[in-house]
Amino acid sequence: MLDMVILDMDGVVFEGKNFWLEFHDLMGTRKQAMQLWRGLQKKDYSLLSTHTARIWAGQSATSFWRLIEERQLISGIYQLVDYLHINKIPCAIVSSGPYQLAERAQQLLAINTIRANKLEISKDGFFTGVVDVQVDDSQKDLAAIDAMKEFSARPQFTAMIGDTTSDVMIAKVANISIAFNTDEAELITACRSEEHTSELQSHSDLVCRLL
């Protein structure tokens, strides 16, 4: 029996591949974001996040909340988490996406624990320019290990489900590594290198894989 299942968020729990880029498009800040990304992503993710959050400082968070509420769950995710709950297997979200979206998933699906990046929003609904970085996109394994420790999950009995290259690091600490509905070659290769792997296209297939 599994000790834990770790889920990425965009493309695994919710439809859509990159919440942050969609939000930049809404705010008209994609060009600034890409400049920061090219300069800092591989050097200092926390600094990248800090500078990105400052782009939105003082602006209304209305569009942010709307995008979160409009995000649709991937078909079959309820079946997956129901299976985990019935079998008393803890489930975590580990994502460099927005903490507020992970909170919505937690409320809808009763996810046991979440790790994500939280933009600070003032009581009157404006971005403060501050962000709490819980997940470094280039070191997602650290957040995954932290979640595993919370539930005393052993690596050899932990499964991960991801769809992007940033999930490769989690695949290295979870023995059961699953590339979900993706064509990311590096992730697929990392998953294939483990003893127990799958490349799946639906959560129905995933439940069958876990049975």
Side-chain angles (χ1 to χ4, degrees), residues 131-177:
V131 59
D132 174 20
V133 179
Q134 298 181 2
V135 181
D136 183 324
D137 196 59
S138 62
Q139 295 182 299
K140 290 179 74 172
D141 54 317
L142 300 182
I145 290 169
D146 184 60
M148 290 163 65
K149 287 180 179 178
E150 182 178 344
F151 291 91
S152 300
R154 298 162 291 179
Q156 64 268 37
F157 296 110
T158 298
M160 64 75 63
I161 306 162
D163 69 332
T164 66
T165 301
S166 64
D167 296 313
V168 168
M169 297 305 295
I170 302 181
K172 292 181 178 180
V173 298
N175 189 51
I176 304 170
S177 52

Side-chain angles (χ1 to χ4, degrees), residues 16 24 33 37 57 65 69-70 75-76 85 99 109 147 160 170 175:
H24 277 294
W37 180 265
W65 289 119
E69 289 303 315
E70 291 175 350
S75 177
H85 293 323
Y99 189 88
L109 302 169
M160 64 75 63
I170 302 181
N175 189 51

Side-chain angles (χ1 to χ4, degrees), residues 7-11 13-24 26 45 49 52-53 56 61 63-71 93-107 111 113-121 127 130-137 140:
L7 305 172
D8 182 37
M9 187 160 57
D10 286 336
V13 176
F14 289 104
E15 294 179 358
K17 289 298 184 181
N18 192 312
F19 180 98
W20 290 127
L21 283 181
E22 289 184 39
F23 185 56
H24 277 294
L26 274 177
Y45 187 82
S49 301
T52 302
W56 300 316
S63 296
F64 178 74
W65 289 119
R66 184 172 66 248
L67 190 58
I68 284 175
E69 289 303 315
E70 291 175 350
R71 214 68 164 175
I93 285 176
V94 175
S95 170
S96 57
Y99 189 88
Q100 290 88 342
L101 183 60
E103 284 184 312
R104 180 167 177 248
Q106 189 172 42
Q107 292 165 1
I111 302 293
T113 191
I114 58 177
R115 305 287 189 280
N117 297 331
K118 189 173 186 178
L119 285 172
E120 185 177 88
I121 299 170
F127 292 115
V130 174
V131 59
D132 174 20
V133 179
Q134 298 181 2
V135 181
D136 183 324
D137 196 59
K140 290 179 74 172

Side-chain angles (χ1 to χ4, degrees), residues 28-63:
T29 56
R30 179 187 274 252
K31 183 177 180 180
Q32 292 168 274
M34 295 312 295
Q35 289 173 340
L36 286 170
W37 180 265
R38 285 190 290 269
L40 291 171
Q41 188 265 335
K42 293 183 178 181
K43 297 178 182 177
D44 192 329
Y45 187 82
S46 292
L47 186 60
L48 167 66
S49 301
T50 297
H51 284 317
T52 302
R54 288 174 181 168
I55 293 174
W56 300 316
Q59 298 191 56
S60 171
T62 299
S63 296

